[in-house]
Amino acid sequence: MHLVLTLLLSLAAFTMANIHIHDPSQPVTSPQVVPTGGKLILKCTVEEHEESSLQWSNPAQQTLYFGEKRALRDNRIQLVHSSLNELTISISNVQLSDEGEYTCAIFTMPVRISKAMVTVLGVPQKPQIFGYEKAFKENEKAKLRCTTSGSKPAANIRWYKGPEELEGAQISTSEDGNGKTFTVMSIIEFMVGREDDGIEITCTVGLESLQSTDKSSSHKIQVLYKPTARIESRPQMPREGDKLRLQCDAYGNPVPDQYIWERENGELPSLAMYDGSSLVFPFLNKSDGGTYICKASNMMGTYVTQYKLDVNDANFPDPSPIPSTSSIDHAVIGGVVAVIAFLLFCLLIVLGRYLIRHKGTYLTHEAKGSDDAPDADTAIINAEGGQGGSDDKKEYFI
């Protein structure tokens, strides 16, 4: 019996300990998270105040406000609202040192308190990118480093090449000297090609709990690559006796600085003038025809391109000129006018036939009864009456 009673008492004690009993005289607060430099709002409410004022204290147990009276001389701390049921204060320009447990108390019998844990997040500093200063070679691996400090907790770092996010960065974290914030370093490696020359690389840092605090730095990278080239003939269809320029247009990084002209299976014509990226023929001969080679070079390599030159006779006709826009417009306008004239002509023919047909019908009605009438007057009277053979509807004029 004694054992049963002991068990019942233990169960009752456990139940009472785990049942939350609402106390209207108990102050109510809530935990807060705020970034450094932000504004902290501390709100404390109570249902039954028993004519006693509320009080806010900092983690060092220094009274900040007792009711509407300021207790600590700190201009960052301001009163937002004070009544017997509520005490709300604000702390502006929050620092890491403001983090901790704040206490709201009401001095009833007994004194009741409520704790509010304030967490201050360290906003990461603007990131810095290193390694972009030197140019990268085509088809080699670029290696860049991005660092940021002052974050709490450790910041996240993301890399972008243009709009594309880069994956596979190596992250390392170390504690700052204040023992509260962190420095984060991220190293990214990726292959580069000529299409990446001048592309923007961006490093972005931020905290998951503070999306609006993301900061980023961007820099363009330089990629060195060997040239590409093509030869263009000016004019495009040269004739014997013309002045011809073969232009070797080359592109690369750095800009090609060396050009070599050659002729396949032979030497360059004696009259041809070598002018860097151009090969000029002052007076073109039929014997100048053949395949010409341009070699464009920069520090990254050499590109070779060819052009087959065909020399037309001196009396070869010029290519047909492309009709100008104005001549095309005039032709269209002329066609439209011709169609309109044709339609008007057809309309006149139809209208004429219509008029002729109605005129014939009028003459026929006018002559009705003329075959049976002895004279013209009778024929007219019969035609107007509509019944030439009825005596009762005849009218005679003397």
Side-chain angles (χ1 to χ4, degrees), residues 72-361:
L72 186 66
R73 292 184 177 180
D74 188 341
N75 292 330
R76 299 182 305 138
I77 305 174
Q78 299 293 328
L79 178 65
V80 177
H81 179 75
S82 175
S83 68
L84 291 175
N85 297 99
E86 178 185 339
L87 178 59
T88 302
I89 64 173
S90 67
I91 303 176
S92 58
N93 192 22
V94 172
Q95 306 299 318
L96 290 171
S97 58
D98 294 324
E99 185 174 77
E101 199 172 56
Y102 288 73
T103 304
C104 175
I106 184 168
F107 293 92
T108 57
M109 292 299 293
V111 176
R112 293 174 173 84
I113 63 172
S114 178
K115 301 285 188 179
M117 185 61 196
V118 174
T119 302
V120 179
L121 301 179
V123 178
Q125 296 180 3
K126 184 179 177 67
Q128 292 181 299
I129 300 177
F130 302 92
Y132 68 91
E133 301 86 357
K134 71 178 186 70
F136 302 101
K137 295 180 180 179
E138 183 180 19
N139 297 325
E140 84 169 357
K141 186 174 287 187
K143 184 177 181 180
L144 299 177
R145 176 167 53 94
C146 179
T147 61
T148 180
S149 58
S151 61
K152 177 180 173 293
N156 298 320
I157 295 183
R158 298 186 304 275
W159 287 94
Y160 295 90
K161 183 177 74 171
E164 174 191 0
E165 184 171 0
L166 298 174
E167 303 289 347
Q170 299 177 357
I171 305 294
S172 61
T173 304
S174 60
E175 193 175 78
D176 292 336
N178 57 21
K180 296 182 178 181
T181 58
F182 298 90
T183 293
V184 184
M185 180 176 66
S186 175
I187 298 177
I188 189 70
E189 293 182 325
F190 56 95
M191 298 296 295
V192 295
R194 62 181 58 204
E195 67 277 3
D196 296 321
D197 184 36
I199 199 167
E200 197 167 65
I201 305 297
T202 302
C203 172
T204 301
V205 300
L207 299 176
E208 291 183 0
S209 54
L210 293 174
Q211 297 295 331
S212 60
T213 61
D214 286 3
K215 297 178 181 179
S216 63
S217 293
S218 299
H219 291 284
K220 292 182 179 180
I221 61 172
Q222 185 180 8
V223 180
L224 304 178
Y225 56 94
K226 73 176 187 178
T228 58
R230 66 187 182 94
I231 299 175
E232 183 179 341
S233 174
R234 303 171 184 174
Q236 293 184 352
M237 299 182 66
R239 298 177 299 181
E240 189 175 12
D242 287 347
K243 179 180 178 180
L244 172 68
R245 177 185 294 271
L246 294 180
Q247 180 67 41
C248 184
D249 294 323
Y251 306 92
N253 188 22
V255 176
D257 55 0
Q258 184 179 8
Y259 294 87
I260 297 177
W261 283 96
E262 296 177 356
R263 186 179 186 182
E264 190 177 59
N265 302 324
E267 296 182 352
L268 292 175
S270 57
L271 295 180
M273 295 183 295
Y274 179 82
D275 181 21
S277 61
S278 299
L279 185 64
V280 180
F281 300 80
F283 190 86
L284 196 61
N285 295 311
K286 293 284 287 185
S287 60
D288 294 331
T291 300
Y292 290 84
I293 301 170
C294 172
K295 298 180 179 180
S297 304
N298 64 9
M299 62 178 291
M300 297 300 297
T302 300
Y303 188 88
V304 179
T305 184
Q306 297 181 349
Y307 181 82
K308 189 175 186 305
L309 173 62
D310 294 321
V311 181
N312 298 300
D313 294 332
N315 58 356
F316 185 80
D318 291 331
S320 300
I322 299 175
S324 63
T325 304
S326 60
S327 62
I328 295 176
D329 292 342
H330 292 158
V332 172
I333 295 173
V336 172
V337 172
V339 170
I340 294 175
F342 176 75
L343 293 176
L344 290 175
F345 179 72
C346 293
L347 181 62
L348 289 173
I349 292 177
V350 172
L351 183 61
R353 291 175 60 87
Y354 175 80
L355 293 176
I356 291 173
R357 179 177 297 177
H358 280 66
K359 183 177 181 182
T361 303

Side-chain angles (χ1 to χ4, degrees), residues 44-49 54 83-87:
C44 179
T45 59
V46 66
E47 292 183 15
E48 294 185 4
H49 50 79
L54 293 166
S83 68
L84 291 175
N85 297 99
E86 178 185 339
L87 178 59

